[in-house]
């Protein structure tokens, strides 16, 4: 029943958006004395119709009034049609093909084309204006209810990204963008995702450790595999555990079948943490939780949470529960991969102070060959102590020369950035050194007796893919995730990190020169510990108070303007190649988002309907026949010429516009259908 009710809410909401648009045309047509013959919500077969003097009719319409009908017969037929994907208002004389009423349309002063250009412009634009007003009303209503917003906190930084090179760190707060304060995370996304080519955005940053604000300039980039420009940050995390899956037992960690979800419950809030058998200390935020647990990665920890009883009174104080979480050991293949060049250096880092440059390749540490995947741990263990690095450096096309530099790592936490398997390929982050380095897909060494050795992988082998089958979660089994290694794409750190965090049942490695991948089951390393323990945190959010009428209307107007601007910025980015086709969606994603919002309540649904209404207004006013914007262009040309455009021009332009719109609809919805089918394969 809940599914049916949510579907009904979506249908009512979408129908209302369409109804308001067509109502605008209808009211202005009546206001200007135009004879309206039909007012339809939806297209296709008639489900029901109403005409004054005829009454309600089911599954059929009524004939238009004739000369012998009494004056009590209404001139307008109101229709509810089968396909609620639009609607229309049919006015006398609006089309040149009027059939039986062509003679009346030519002479009747109430015909649409017999009205002044100004009157017709009012009628054409009325639908768009109604959608804009609806957007303002929806956003104002949401503001009047209060709600939840996501602050512009940096929860993580992708190694080698523009944000990484600018020195952003987890825990930083973005307090202003291009001088505008009071920003939230959605403002950050809009500014970055819709940036133009070469645009540098000024971010005012407040560091996690306090101190003065600093200004950094970052140019967003669109990387391979992304649909929009990014700067490489993730949103901040709260201390509240995810409602559905608060804990996923990571590979390499022991499990206790008597403790479903590790003993945690959705909605638990972490309040304190400490080593098993030691002192438990309170935590202030997610970064504090990471700072306190990362040094304890080789010990079991006790996590204290606040837990609310769903059956208790709302004002009842939550109980406190302590949960012991075991250590999490890395799983490893027994491969030593080839170190690649340094991809990026953090500003102010030990690497920068030591003189390490992008493009350098670290070939030895303290005079010995090393496993690059162990370099983060090696630097962490050497915090405050000098390390001697042997580098290969090429400059100006000259042969690489060997140089030695001494660097003193700091105590930055390691392996605490969660992996996004859908994100772009990233280099390996060495936080203690403050650099990110590529890992080449070529195997340097295979440890004897390791899983890779048993699978027959030899030194010199080149890895072309890693295929991971995630474990069944709840009632669903996720699709296998494939990390493809193109000749210029070094995805090993991403694939390796994913294996440490997501429970899996099967792993395959594809090698260059072999047709089929080979199964390799990585094994737990008893001496290598991962700081992440499987806890899944919700995104950081904060409540906003309800606003008064005046403030709500002001916020509604502001948010409507921002949404209108963003639509035009999307088109600009599309023409510049900054936004991919996957950034657009048709009926399927609109329905999915609408259902998701409806499931969350009326307020989220109304927020979505406001966005949809504003988008409909902008798209409908594009200068493309047969959209309202195309008709407005025709009227503007008529006003300038003093007479309508020739029929030949109108016909060709309308035909071309119709074909373009239909092809665009087919392309976007076809893409969505293809992606939907792929998701089930």
């Amino acid at each position: 029943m809940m599914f049916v009710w949510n579907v009904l809410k979506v249908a009512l909401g979408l129908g209302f958006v369409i109804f308001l648009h067509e109502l605008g045309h209808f009211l202005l047509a009546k206001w200007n004395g135009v004879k309206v013959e039909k007012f339809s919500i939806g297209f296709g077969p008639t489900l029901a119709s109403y005409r004054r003097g005829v009454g309600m009719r089911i599954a059929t319409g009524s004939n238009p009034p004739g000369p012998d009908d009494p004056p009590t017969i209404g001139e307008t037929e109101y229709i509810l049609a089968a396909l609620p994907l639009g609607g229309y208002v049919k006015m006398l004389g609006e089309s040149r093909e009027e059939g039986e009423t062509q003679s009346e349309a030519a002479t009747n002063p109430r015909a649409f084309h017999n009205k002044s250009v100004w009157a017709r412009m009012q009628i054409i634009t009325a639908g768009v204006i109604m959608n804009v007003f609806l957007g303002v009303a929806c956003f104002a209503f949401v503001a009047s209810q209060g709600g939840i917003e996501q602050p512009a906190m940096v929860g993580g930084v992708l190694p080698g990204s523009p944000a990484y090179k600018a020195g952003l760190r987890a825990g930083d707060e973005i307090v202003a963008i291009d001088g505008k304060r009071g920003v939230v995370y959605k403002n950050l996304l809009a500014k970055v995702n819709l940036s133009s080519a070469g645009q540098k955005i000024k971010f005012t940053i407040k560091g996690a450790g306090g101190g003065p604000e600093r200004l950094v300039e970052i140019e967003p980039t669109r990387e391979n595999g992304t649909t929009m420009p990014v700067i490489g940050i993730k949103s901040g995390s709260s201390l509240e555990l995810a409602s559905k899956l608060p804990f996923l037992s990571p590979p390499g960690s022991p499990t206790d079948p008597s403790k479903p979800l590790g003993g945690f419950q959705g909605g638990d809030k972490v309040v304190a943490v400490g080593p098993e058998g030691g002192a438990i200390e309170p935590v202030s935020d997610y970064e504090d939780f990471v700072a306190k647990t990362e040094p304890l990665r080789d010990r079991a920890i006790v996590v204290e949470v606040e837990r609310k009883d769903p059956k208790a009174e709302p004002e009842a104080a939550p109980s406190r529960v302590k949960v012991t979480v075991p250590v999490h050991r890395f799983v490893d293949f027994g491969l030593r991969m080839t170190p690649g060049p340094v991809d990026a250096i953090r500003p102010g880092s030990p690497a920068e102070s030591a003189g390490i440059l992008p493009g350098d390749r670290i070939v030895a540490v303290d005079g010995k060959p090393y496993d690059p995947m162990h370099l983060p741990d090696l630097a962490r263990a050497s915090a405050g102590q000098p390390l001697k690095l042997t580098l290969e450096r090429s400059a100006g096309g000259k042969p690489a020369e060997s140089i030695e530099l001494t660097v003193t790592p700091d105590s930055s936490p390691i392996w605490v950035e969660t992996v996004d398997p859908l994100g772009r390929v990233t280099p390996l982050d060495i936080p203690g050194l403050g650099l990110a380095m590529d890992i080449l897909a070529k195997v340097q060494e295979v440890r004897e007796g390791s899983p890779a050795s048993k699978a027959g992988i030899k030194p010199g082998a080149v890895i072309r893919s890693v295929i991971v089958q995630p474990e069944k979660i709840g009632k669903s089994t996720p699709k296998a995730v494939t990390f493809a290694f193109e000749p210029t794409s070094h995805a090993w750190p991403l694939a390796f990190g994913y294996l440490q965090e997501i429970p899996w049942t099967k792993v395959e490695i594809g090698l260059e020169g072999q047709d089929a991948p080979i199964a390799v089951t990585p094994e737990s390393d008893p001496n290598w510990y991962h700081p992440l323990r499987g806890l899944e945190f919700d995104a950081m959010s904060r409540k906003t108070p309800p606003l008064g009428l005046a403030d709500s209307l002001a916020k509604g107007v502001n948010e409507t303007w921002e949404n209108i601007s963003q639509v035009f910025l999307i088109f600009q980015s599309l023409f510049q190649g900054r936004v991919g086709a996957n950034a657009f969606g048709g009926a399927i994603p609109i329905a999915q988002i609408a259902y998701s919002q409806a499931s969350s309540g009326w307020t989220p649904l109304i927020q979505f309907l406001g966005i949809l209404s504003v988008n409909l207004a902008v798209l409908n006013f594009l200068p493309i026949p047969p959209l309202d914007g195309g008709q407005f262009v025709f009227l503007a040309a008529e006003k300038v010429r003093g007479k309508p455009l020739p029929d030949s021009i109108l016909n060709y332009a309308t035909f071309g516009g119709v074909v373009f719109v239909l092809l665009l609809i087919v392309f976007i919805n076809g893409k969505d259908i293809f992606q939907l089918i792929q998701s089930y394969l």
Side-chain angles (χ1 to χ4, degrees), residues 260-420:
L261 297 174
F264 294 99
Q265 292 183 11
D268 284 352
K269 182 180 180 181
V270 176
V271 294
V273 69
E276 186 179 28
I280 307 297
E281 299 180 13
V283 293
S284 57
D285 53 31
Y286 178 76
E287 282 68 40
D288 189 32
F289 172 81
V290 168
K292 284 184 169 66
T293 55
E294 187 267 348
L296 304 173
R297 58 190 179 279
D298 60 343
R299 300 175 61 180
I301 61 173
V302 175
V303 178
E304 186 173 11
V305 299
E306 284 185 347
R307 179 173 297 169
K308 292 183 178 180
D309 184 353
K311 297 180 181 179
E313 296 295 327
E315 62 273 8
S319 60
R320 290 211 169 193
V321 179
K322 293 181 179 179
V323 181
T324 300
V325 185
V327 296
H328 170 199
R329 292 179 172 88
F330 276 84
V331 294
D332 193 19
F333 295 101
L335 298 172
R336 179 161 66 88
M337 307 302 290
T338 303
V342 172
D343 182 83
I345 305 286
R346 275 190 188 275
S349 65
E352 185 182 61
S353 300
I356 301 174
L357 302 176
D360 289 349
R361 193 167 76 91
I362 304 172
V363 296
V365 179
D366 285 338
K368 300 175 183 178
Y370 71 103
D371 182 348
M373 299 308 297
H374 281 270
L375 187 55
D377 298 79
L378 180 58
R380 181 73 172 87
S382 304
Q385 303 172 19
L387 279 179
K388 185 179 291 183
L389 304 182
T390 303
L391 310 174
E392 282 185 355
R393 177 175 293 174
S394 300
K398 297 179 181 179
E401 60 176 341
S402 179
I403 62 173
E404 289 189 352
L405 294 175
T406 299
V407 59
T408 302
D410 63 25
S411 57
S412 296
I414 57 172
W415 297 109
V416 295
E417 300 281 9
T418 55
V419 173
D420 177 10

Side-chain angles (χ1 to χ4, degrees), residues 475-556:
K475 297 181 180 180
S476 63
T477 301
K479 289 177 56 181
V481 178
T482 299
F483 299 90
F485 292 36
E486 300 297 333
T488 58
S489 172
H490 314 303
W492 184 259
L494 189 67
F496 187 82
Y498 183 73
L499 283 169
Q500 314 310 318
E501 298 176 22
I502 306 299
W504 44 262
T505 58
K506 182 181 179 182
V507 181
E508 294 178 312
I509 292 180
L511 299 176
E512 190 175 73
Q514 294 191 12
D515 294 334
I518 57 176
V520 187
T521 303
E523 296 177 349
S524 179
D525 187 326
N527 301 311
W528 194 8
Y529 301 95
H530 200 291
L532 299 182
R533 311 283 181 130
L535 282 77
E536 301 289 326
F537 293 88
D538 274 338
M540 180 184 292
S541 62
R542 60 192 177 201
K543 292 184 178 180
T544 58
L547 300 180
L549 179 59
D551 289 337
S552 294
L553 285 174
K555 188 171 179 61

Side-chain angles (χ1 to χ4, degrees), residues 227-242:
T227 59
M228 290 183 173
V230 296
I231 60 172
I233 67 171
K234 301 175 185 178
S235 61
S237 296
S238 69
L239 287 173
E240 191 167 297
L241 298 183

Side-chain angles (χ1 to χ4, degrees), residues 100-123:
E100 295 179 357
T101 62
Q102 187 172 9
S103 58
E104 180 190 359
T107 58
N108 193 327
R110 297 187 62 204
F112 175 77
H113 67 260
N114 288 331
K115 295 296 179 179
S116 68
V117 172
W118 173 239
R120 283 178 282 160
M121 282 183 169
Q122 293 179 52
I123 297 168

